[in-house]
Amino acid sequence: MRSSEYPFWPQNFVNLYRETDCWRGETFGSMLRERAGKQGKRIAVTDGEKSVSYAELDRRADCLAAGFARLGLKKGDRAVVQLPNRIEFFEVIFALFRLGALPVFALPSHRESEIQYFCRFTEAVLYVIPDCYAEFDYRTLAKAVQPNTPALRQVIVAGSSGGFTALSELYDDPVVPEAEVNPDDVAFLQLSGGSTGLSKLIPRTHDDYIYSLRASNEICRMNQDSVYLAALPVAHNYPLSSPGALGTLYAGGRVVLAAGGSPDETFPLIAQEGVTITALVPPLALIWLEAAASRREDLSSLKVLQVGGAKFSEQAARRIKSVFGCTLQQVFGMAEGLVNYTRLDDPEETIVSTQGKPMSPFDEIRVVDENDEDVGPGEVGELLTRGPYTIRGYYKAEEHNAKTFTTDGFYRTGDLVSMTAAGYIVVEGRAKDQINRGGEKIAAEEVENHLLAHDAVHDAAVVSVPDEFLGERSCAFVIPRRRVPSAGELKRFLRERGIAGYKIPDRIEFIQSFPYTPLGKVSKKELRQMAARITKVSTAASI
Ligand code: J2J
């Protein structure tokens, strides 16, 4: 599976990462098999009343691999997987790994527009969904998507099938010979936050991802006794791998699945299951901080509370230790690779005021100005990185890759950062055209394109507005054509086009013309300032 579709590390780096023991030649299939052999009876994943042991998970993945093979799935095929935090998620992905087929990790919040694009772009042959989740019927979504996705052979439903194929009918006797899966094969496609239009797809190999699990586990001190609570949607890179659910399984620990991240859903689980570590985004951490005072659950098993995905305010960070009696760990990562952690034994000041340092000694970091020149110590610049688990290019995106990666293979993160003298990273802002809404990433251009499809919209520009709770919200500036539509009408229009709810602008402002930069580009900087002013005024007015 080595082709321009899946850009790969040059041979000298491959040699380096192998020689230095980063890449050890493991696959997800072999990893689960080994754990099942060594500690088969231990619980791997718990979901409410249901639990599955390592041996059961291993066997059920084999059964499902046989069922998928019966449907004609083979090595290299893509399968869009859109499952919430349920045991089936793990059975499905390990079955796919066993066959060498590639899960494409959609999120439960994705809708027709995103799913159709993932299915079409990857020519996926399977689409795996729950029946209903969070008051949404995914079978309706599948029905809308299927006619426009010619390669899609099967929709598979975990739950009541509604005319599609039921996942429960695919657990065959595991008689298929296992496909030959190589550690340097691409294991799955993760999603980028996106900045230019639609999400890019991120090819991660067994070798590189498993290395990131191993390095994360060491830093987070994961072992057989670790109990990881998946409070965020587990398909996302952060709860999947930093160290997340897969790191926990690699360590032989136990993954406890929560349906959502609210204190009502999670606090009882922490107490009952003896959760030792969990991962939150900043808005959820704020809710937890707020709730802790009035709750009675015993949260004393919790040793590490990770917060990442968006910048966590220093003020809130300072409260974590005293409120929860555990260690805060800031996590600054990206599905493209690089993950930074504060270390568990770092001084409190480092933990509350930085976003950590790279997890691997083989991560290479540069902080550069607009001319790709390194900035001085402590100065702000764009973060570039390459290393043993950072991709060298997106899937099928040659043109975009030429812009997003330097000629010597560094990934341009689009994040503006400074480095402390001790080598810790402080996230200072963003150069990419993206809104980070409490950890959920919105590519401005994607939403702008949807707005432009409305016949009363002449032009549109989407920017971020600071928000105390989410960090940022989104604001769309729209130049109307002929008549001025209402904000409600435009939001409804976007919803009907089938985009994930978090991408619908929080605010829509109508404007006669955009401010421009001296180079003639729409000045998003000025628009951001305008949006912040408008929001301030309207907030003041409503107090
Ligand atoms: C500021 N910005 C942050 C932080 C991510 C671990 C943790 C997070 C992600 C993730 C991940 C931030 N402070 N602590 O994949 O494995 C912003 C940056 C970054 C982008 C990546 C993981 N943590 N960010 O959030 O691919 O802008 O991954 O480039 O979704 O989120 O987003 P994503």
Side-chain angles (χ1 to χ4, degrees):
M1 228 191 304
R2 198 62 46 77
S3 70
S4 63
E5 290 192 351
Y6 299 108
F8 207 69
W9 290 262
Q11 193 58 45
N12 53 335
F13 282 92
V14 171
N15 297 344
L16 172 71
Y17 298 147
R18 286 198 181 131
E19 279 157 17
T20 49
D21 213 28
C22 296
W23 297 356
R24 287 194 186 162
E26 290 176 276
T27 65
F28 284 106
S30 68
M31 153 190 153
L32 179 59
R33 186 78 87 225
E34 205 188 303
R35 295 295 170 277
K38 281 197 186 139
Q39 51 167 76
K41 291 211 172 79
R42 288 183 76 111
I43 300 295
V45 188
T46 297
D47 176 10
E49 299 298 302
K50 260 181 24 189
S51 280
V52 64
S53 69
Y54 277 89
E56 283 163 344
L57 180 58
D58 186 50
R59 188 181 148 73
R60 287 177 71 77
D62 275 345
C63 294
L64 207 47
F68 285 158
R70 167 159 63 84
L71 298 180
L73 195 74
K74 51 183 191 337
K75 185 173 174 177
D77 284 346
R78 272 84 55 201
V80 173
V81 177
Q82 189 182 26
L83 290 173
N85 291 3
R86 293 193 190 152
I87 290 174
E88 288 95 330
F89 173 87
F90 296 92
E91 294 175 351
V92 167
I93 67 168
F94 277 101
L96 295 170
F97 293 150
R98 287 257 152 93
L99 292 174
L102 281 58
V104 181
F105 286 127
L107 295 172
S109 52
H110 287 138
R111 292 294 177 262
E112 193 181 331
S113 158
E114 291 94 3
I115 299 297
Q116 186 161 304
Y117 158 68
F118 300 145
C119 288
R120 287 177 71 106
F121 189 68
T122 67
E123 296 167 273
V125 296
L126 294 188
Y127 172 36
V128 190
I129 52 171
D131 44 11
C132 293
Y133 169 73
E135 288 165 43
F136 182 73
D137 188 334
Y138 287 79
R139 294 162 302 186
T140 318
L141 174 53
K143 273 190 200 117
V145 164
Q146 207 176 24
N148 307 313
T149 48
L152 194 62
R153 290 203 296 265
Q154 300 271 348
V155 173
I156 294 171
V157 187
S160 142
S161 68
F164 293 115
T165 306
L167 184 71
S168 59
E169 282 163 21
L170 294 175
Y171 292 83
D172 290 358
D173 285 336
V175 287
V176 267
E178 259 179 54
E180 199 195 312
V181 179
N182 302 310
D184 55 5
D185 285 340
V186 174
F188 54 81
L189 296 172
Q190 219 0 315
L191 308 181
S192 78
S195 52
T196 54
L198 299 161
S199 282
K200 298 290 176 289
L201 298 171
I202 297 170
R204 300 290 301 259
T205 67
H206 295 265
D207 258 339
D208 94 68
Y209 213 67
I210 289 178
Y211 171 61
S212 83
L213 302 181
R214 204 159 5 92
S216 297
N217 280 352
E218 204 180 315
I219 288 167
C220 303
R221 301 188 193 152
M222 301 294 285
N223 58 39
Q224 281 196 340
D225 299 323
S226 301
V227 181
Y228 177 87
L229 178 74
L232 300 171
V234 78
H236 185 274
N237 197 61
Y238 170 30
L240 192 64
S241 71
S242 299
L246 290 181
T248 306
L249 296 180
Y250 188 88
R254 185 154 68 97
V255 178
V256 173
L257 300 173
S262 73
D264 282 346
E265 288 161 297
T266 52
F267 285 16
L269 282 177
I270 296 176
Q272 278 158 34
E273 307 289 344
V275 168
T276 60
I277 174 169
T278 190
L280 302 178
V281 287
L284 258 185
L286 294 179
I287 292 174
W288 281 36
L289 278 170
E290 202 59 41
S294 60
R295 306 283 301 210
R296 295 181 166 233
E297 289 92 351
D298 174 9
L299 307 181
S300 60
S301 59
L302 199 60
K303 299 286 172 292
V304 180
L305 184 65
Q306 299 182 301
V307 181
K311 177 98 178 235
F312 194 35
S313 81
E314 191 175 322
Q315 207 184 1
R318 285 191 189 279
R319 295 174 54 206
I320 295 287
K321 196 174 188 151
S322 60
V323 172
F324 293 103
C326 67
T327 306
L328 165 68
Q329 181 177 52
Q330 296 217 36
V331 191
F332 163 43
M334 51 208 75
E336 286 80 358
L338 180 71
V339 180
N340 305 278
Y341 294 103
T342 54
R343 306 308 199 249
L344 303 187
D345 54 3
D346 272 340
E348 188 66 7
E349 276 315 296
T350 308
I351 290 177
V352 299
S353 65
T354 79
Q355 279 62 59
K357 63 179 178 183
M359 71 159 116
S360 163
F362 301 99
D363 283 318
E364 297 174 70
I365 295 288
R366 290 182 61 200
V367 184
V368 302
D369 63 17
E370 289 90 28
N371 304 315
D372 278 357
E373 306 281 351
D374 293 308
V375 301
E379 280 176 28
V380 177
E382 186 186 357
L383 175 67
L384 310 186
T385 184
R386 69 179 180 190
Y389 61 99
T390 296
I391 54 162
R392 291 300 183 116
Y394 294 102
Y395 169 67
K396 288 206 285 194
E398 228 167 307
E399 222 173 282
H400 184 70
N401 287 341
K403 285 184 259 164
T404 319
F405 292 82
T406 63
T407 47
D408 54 355
F410 279 80
Y411 166 56
R412 298 180 191 277
T413 66
D415 291 312
L416 298 177
V417 304
S418 63
M419 296 275 275
T420 69
Y424 282 71
I425 295 175
V426 178
V427 179
E428 309 273 5
R430 198 175 315 123
K432 53 193 169 190
D433 198 6
Q434 190 183 74
I435 294 109
N436 188 337
R437 194 178 183 278
E440 293 187 300
K441 319 300 184 306
I442 305 165
E445 191 185 313
E446 182 183 354
V447 182
E448 288 159 5
N449 285 338
H450 282 291
L451 283 167
L452 285 170
H454 192 284
D455 58 15
V457 173
H458 171 69
D459 207 349
V462 178
V463 295
S464 63
V465 199
D467 182 79
E468 216 172 298
F469 175 58
L470 288 172
E472 294 173 13
R473 284 182 193 268
S474 62
C475 174
F477 284 95
V478 167
I479 303 178
R481 184 202 302 272
R482 294 187 295 274
R483 73 180 176 89
V484 182
S486 72
E489 178 186 345
L490 288 184
K491 288 187 187 185
R492 230 176 2 260
F493 172 76
L494 293 178
R495 209 161 284 121
E496 277 159 16
R497 285 178 69 82
I499 69 172
Y502 65 87
K503 294 180 185 170
I504 307 225
D506 292 295
R507 199 181 178 104
I508 298 183
E509 291 293 327
F510 297 95
I511 190 172
Q512 291 299 316
S513 65
F514 292 143
Y516 285 93
T517 65
L519 288 174
K521 276 177 40 174
V522 173
S523 171
K524 290 231 160 155
K525 190 173 161 196
E526 234 170 287
L527 285 176
R528 270 194 296 274
Q529 288 163 353
M530 282 166 63
R533 269 199 307 273
I534 296 166
T535 312
K536 232 186 215 157
V537 170
S538 66
T539 314
S542 66
I543 290 173

